[in-house]
Amino acid sequence: MSTIQTNSYRRQRDHFEPQDNDPHEQRRLRGLMEQIDYTAFVSNREVIGQMLAQADTASFQKLAVLTATARAKWAAEALRLAESGSPVTPDQTARLTAQRNAYEELAEAYEGLRRMVERGYLTMK
């Protein structure tokens, strides 16, 4: 199985594990934690839904094409540099880095939007 490493990270779910042995206190704390999680969910759904209300499947397709184009430009530039046979200059390295950064940012945005749909923060038309 392969893994993909990016510059960003996803936090692992930090599940609540009560330390108190009293079952009533554990139940109270679980209820409080569920209320906090629900408040975060509703806040995300309302804010993201309002700010990204225009998002639809066509928007995702445009973002996917833009991301694929950025990836192809980055790879094409790397191949062009390799074919030249010359040592890479700092300017060429900076251009290649900028193209990689553009691709990675677009890919992260795509994944972030996808997670928003999965979690129900963003509903698709």
Side-chain angles (χ1 to χ4, degrees):
M1 176 168 53
S2 65
T3 59
I4 298 173
Q5 183 173 351
T6 64
N7 289 335
S8 68
Y9 61 92
R10 286 182 74 178
R11 292 188 181 126
Q12 296 297 318
R13 296 291 296 178
D14 187 15
H15 294 287
F16 173 67
E17 295 179 19
Q19 301 299 318
D20 195 329
N21 289 330
D22 179 14
H24 297 293
E25 183 62 17
Q26 287 180 2
R27 220 172 296 121
R28 186 190 72 75
L29 286 173
R30 272 200 183 93
L32 178 62
M33 298 309 295
E34 286 178 12
Q35 186 177 16
I36 290 169
D37 288 345
Y38 183 73
T39 299
F41 168 78
V42 169
S43 298
N44 275 295
R45 189 181 61 199
E46 288 179 7
V47 171
I48 291 169
Q50 183 179 22
M51 291 185 77
L52 303 176
Q54 77 284 358
D56 57 8
T57 54
S59 301
F60 270 82
Q61 182 181 7
K62 288 175 187 175
L63 180 56
V65 169
L66 185 62
T67 304
T69 302
R71 183 183 215 177
K73 284 182 179 180
W74 170 48
E77 178 66 16
L79 289 175
R80 189 184 68 72
L81 291 173
E83 288 175 6
S84 75
S86 303
V88 179
T89 67
D91 287 343
Q92 291 170 325
T93 302
R95 188 171 58 242
L96 187 62
T97 300
Q99 289 174 342
R100 177 180 45 84
N101 287 337
Y103 158 65
E104 288 178 349
E105 285 301 321
L106 288 166
E108 290 290 327
Y110 178 86
E111 287 299 319
L113 284 162
R114 193 172 179 283
R115 280 191 304 272
M116 289 177 208
V117 172
E118 283 178 339
R119 293 178 181 172
Y121 303 153
L122 179 61
T123 55
M124 301 302 294
K125 297 176 187 173

